[in-house]
Amino acid sequence: MVEVQPSPVVLIGDVVASRQSKDRRELHRALEQALADTNDRVVHIEPLEITVGDEFQGVYPHLGAALDAALRTRLALRPAAESRYGLGRGATTTLDKARGIKDGPAWWAAREAIVDVEKVAARAALEHVHTAYRLADGEVDDAGTALAVDAALHCQDHMVGSLSERSGRLLKGLLDGMTQRELAVAEGITPSAVSQRVRADGLAVIVRCHDLLKELR
């Protein structure tokens, strides 16, 4: 029996409150660096690229890769800025390759997702929720995967959004494969201090959640 390949996943992201930045040129450079870092680490169909203003987008072969890209980009961009993400699964079409004009159900679903997550984050109790996943019309979700992914993302996003700058850097280092001893040297603190933060801030839980989500196809 021929295995049916899943539809690609579109990621649309933007920088939160970018107009309030005191140095938009520096913010733009930070965004470019964050996207380059993610593109080097995550397999993609189309790399993350800045489109208009503070918005960026990319296409991934499966859901796990798109989720990986969203978390890595959010961490890489902090503390310069916060960012949010809409992920949509479905068919994609390129209307104008030269101008980079894309269309199709996956793009519409991703746009719906990022609009929805902005509305959710407008509630004070849910302000750290910055990622959402939607299926395009016609995509099958018999097991309720989309709802389960959104539930996991709510928890992961809240934990990430609650981290201090240092703990955010430690989490990024752990995702990049650094050991706690290497992180201690990089931060100029003791390995014991790193270990305490990993436990107290739930960094190991975030990494475990991330590893499980990366397996989604």
Side-chain angles (χ1 to χ4, degrees):
M1 186 174 68
V2 178
E3 182 180 355
V4 178
Q5 294 297 316
S7 300
V9 178
V10 165
L11 181 156
I12 296 177
D14 67 12
V15 179
V16 177
S18 63
R19 294 182 181 180
Q20 299 175 16
S21 174
K22 296 180 180 179
D23 189 339
R24 284 183 55 80
R25 185 170 283 110
E26 180 59 32
L27 176 59
H28 185 81
R29 284 195 291 266
L31 178 57
E32 287 183 321
Q33 182 57 51
L35 299 187
D37 184 72
T38 297
N39 288 336
D40 285 343
R41 297 178 183 278
V42 183
V43 61
H44 50 263
I45 296 174
E46 296 180 19
L48 286 173
E49 295 179 330
I50 298 173
T51 52
V52 178
D54 58 3
E55 188 170 291
F56 51 94
Q57 61 189 37
V59 183
Y60 295 87
H62 50 78
L63 178 57
L67 293 170
D68 189 15
L71 179 58
R72 287 183 179 278
T73 305
R74 185 179 183 186
L75 290 172
L77 193 55
R78 296 176 82 220
E82 187 55 274
S83 48
R84 63 183 153 235
Y85 304 85
L87 282 62
R89 162 161 275 160
T92 66
T93 303
T94 299
L95 299 180
D96 188 327
K97 188 173 182 178
R99 299 181 181 180
I101 299 176
K102 312 293 176 60
D103 195 20
W107 294 97
W108 309 333
R111 179 65 61 189
E112 176 187 344
I114 199 169
V115 169
D116 286 349
V117 82
E118 183 177 4
K119 292 177 181 177
V120 170
R123 298 173 55 186
L126 298 171
E127 63 180 346
H128 293 312
V129 175
H130 282 86
T131 317
Y133 171 56
R134 298 290 181 269
L135 293 171
D137 291 343
E139 291 291 319
V140 178
D141 184 31
D142 292 335
T145 300
L147 287 175
V149 169
D150 255 15
L153 288 173
H154 273 50
C155 296
Q156 177 180 275
D157 278 354
H158 178 80
M159 294 180 73
V160 171
S162 301
L163 296 177
S164 66
E165 289 184 20
R166 170 165 282 174
S167 291
R169 291 195 301 269
L170 293 176
L171 175 58
K172 184 179 184 304
L174 291 172
L175 293 180
D176 291 344
M178 295 178 68
T179 67
Q180 291 191 24
R181 185 171 296 278
E182 290 171 334
L183 289 170
V185 172
E187 289 291 323
I189 57 179
T190 66
S192 176
V194 173
S195 180
Q196 290 174 20
R197 282 181 177 265
V198 168
R199 293 195 303 271
D201 291 344
L203 302 188
V205 175
I206 299 174
V207 171
R208 178 58 177 159
C209 177
H210 176 255
D211 287 344
L212 292 172
L213 290 172
K214 280 200 306 181
E215 296 300 314
L216 292 172
R217 292 298 182 263

